[in-house]
Amino acid sequence: MESVSFLLLAVILTALAFDFTNGFHDTANSMATSIATGALSPRVAVAVAGVLNLAGAFLSTEVAKTISGGIVNDGQVSLVMIFAGLIGAILWNLVTWLLGLPSSSSHALFGGLIGAVWVGAGGSAVRFGAIVEKIVIPAVAAPVMACVVAVLATYLAYVITRRTAARAVGKGFRAGQVGSASLVALAHGTNDAQKTMGVITLALIAGGVLDHGAGPPWWVVLTAGLAISLGTYAGGWRIIRTMGKGLTDIQSPQGFAAETSATAVILASSHMGFALSTTQVCTGSILGAGLGRKLAHVRWGVAGRIAVSWLLTLPAAAVVGGVAAWVADQGTLGVALVGCVAMAAAAGFYVLSRRRPVSAENVNEMPAPTPQPTAGRAG
């Protein structure tokens, strides 16, 4: 019983570590455009997002129930599988953070769990129908919907204010962005914080602490909310730069339109229990804001790299989760080995990130292009 209790504690701590990475990985979702337009200073933006992520965690538990009993059969899931799935999700989050790519922390978590459960319990333990309904379809529909809504909202914002002085328009929409960005952060808490709640609840069920089908206890809601809030305050500056400056040129009316569009889609999905990717929704809305403004420049190369990361997230995290599950299933030594490898990899990613650091001070600076060699003259 002691080893099981120790493993359960290890799983809970690993889940909270994932929640922390989810926070700094997804800070850009709510605050990138406000930071880019100057509506909020970088430090104030991440502080506001952190507080509202915590508040949002208490508003609903529908998504948590989808995770704990929706995509896998909780009666066939072991603590080792959950631990391995979380490792797969954390490592993918760190890889994409290092590259500055706004990939989906949610899909990384789903992929890691699916791969680990598939290896550990077989395909029968994975509910593929629920995965298609609750994950795959929203993954395709939500960013498209957010993009379309943002295109219309941006177009209307510029049409309505076309006779107003540009300075007044900018000042008004920057003030509006404070509210709209705050709503995105609140909506993010209602969706993403719940995913870790669902994983911890699944672990408590697998460890025999809760009955099958149980919802998250209050302390799970609180700790998951705190972990994602602290991660958000840490600031995922590399991804904030990509979404705020790398994808398109953002003005304050576009930022306001993107944020309100994303909020509407995220809150509607949370209400219906769809564990969608807030990253994909917010990226889609920013792209829509770029398309909705005449003469705005969309960097399709950056958009293409982001799309590739979206396609790779679920299978890549599943492979890592599956391998981790196979190793960890060898016993206590296997669990320790997986944990040590994960910590070493995390330290390595951090060291690599220091070569070209991005912080609150330089987040709005586009990196200088790599100089191209010029051919020498023959002579």
Side-chain angles (χ1 to χ4, degrees):
M1 181 66 184
E2 290 181 1
S3 61
V4 173
S5 298
F6 173 78
L7 182 56
L8 177 59
L9 179 62
V11 169
I12 292 173
L13 293 176
T14 305
L16 294 175
F18 164 78
D19 209 20
F20 183 84
T21 69
N22 192 166
F24 74 71
H25 198 280
D26 289 4
T27 307
N29 294 349
S30 55
M31 292 300 169
T33 54
S34 293
I35 292 172
T37 63
L40 289 168
S41 68
R43 289 296 182 190
V44 171
V46 297
V48 170
V51 171
L52 290 174
N53 267 326
L54 176 59
F58 289 89
L59 295 183
S60 171
T61 59
E62 291 303 314
V63 174
K65 293 174 183 176
T66 296
I67 304 299
S68 62
I71 63 174
V72 294
N73 185 339
D74 59 17
Q76 295 179 260
V77 175
S78 69
L79 292 173
V80 168
M81 297 175 205
I82 300 172
F83 173 75
L86 287 165
I87 293 297
I90 289 171
L91 291 181
W92 183 254
N93 266 0
L94 293 177
V95 168
T96 49
W97 161 76
L98 180 65
L99 297 174
L101 293 173
S103 69
S104 170
S105 298
S106 307
H107 290 177
L109 175 60
F110 301 147
L113 286 174
I114 290 167
V117 171
W118 201 339
V119 168
S124 62
V126 180
R127 293 172 174 165
F128 292 101
I131 290 170
V132 172
E133 177 187 355
K134 297 284 189 177
I135 299 173
V136 176
I137 293 176
V140 175
V144 173
M145 184 182 303
C147 182
V148 172
V149 173
V151 167
L152 296 174
T154 302
Y155 175 76
L156 288 173
Y158 280 102
V159 168
I160 292 170
T161 60
R162 67 182 181 275
R163 298 185 186 280
T164 307
R167 184 174 180 179
V169 170
K171 183 178 180 180
F173 275 111
R174 280 194 294 274
Q177 276 193 274
V178 175
S180 59
S182 298
L183 284 174
V184 177
L186 187 68
H188 183 264
T190 68
N191 200 283
D192 277 49
Q194 290 188 56
K195 290 157 192 169
T196 299
M197 296 178 207
V199 171
I200 295 176
T201 302
L202 188 62
L204 293 172
I205 292 172
V209 177
L210 295 177
D211 295 331
H212 295 293
W218 69 268
W219 64 267
V220 172
V221 177
L222 176 61
T223 54
L226 285 172
I228 199 169
S229 177
L230 290 173
T232 299
Y233 183 70
W237 306 113
R238 308 174 85 83
I239 300 175
I240 289 174
R241 173 185 279 182
T242 298
M243 291 183 72
K245 291 291 185 179
L247 189 58
T248 186
D249 301 316
I250 290 289
Q251 296 180 352
S252 52
Q254 293 169 279
F256 179 80
E259 290 158 1
T260 51
S261 301
T263 300
V265 174
I266 294 169
L267 289 178
S269 298
S270 295
H271 178 70
M272 293 184 288
F274 290 137
L276 53 69
S277 164
T278 55
T279 300
Q280 291 184 355
V281 171
C282 292
T283 305
S285 67
I286 291 173
L287 180 61
L291 294 172
R293 178 168 71 90
K294 187 178 180 181
L295 302 180
H297 177 58
V298 176
R299 298 177 182 89
W300 292 107
V302 175
R305 290 194 293 274
I306 292 172
V308 170
S309 74
W310 289 359
L311 291 173
L312 292 177
T313 294
L314 201 70
V319 169
V320 177
V323 171
W326 182 81
V327 175
D329 198 42
Q330 307 308 308
T332 303
L333 183 61
V335 173
L337 179 60
V338 169
C340 288
V341 169
M343 287 188 287
F349 292 140
Y350 177 78
V351 171
L352 288 173
S353 75
R354 294 299 87 197
R355 293 184 177 181
R356 292 185 177 180
V358 182
S359 65
E361 286 68 38
N362 67 355
V363 68
N364 278 336
E365 299 174 9
M366 285 300 294
T370 303
Q372 298 297 319
T374 56
R377 292 185 179 180

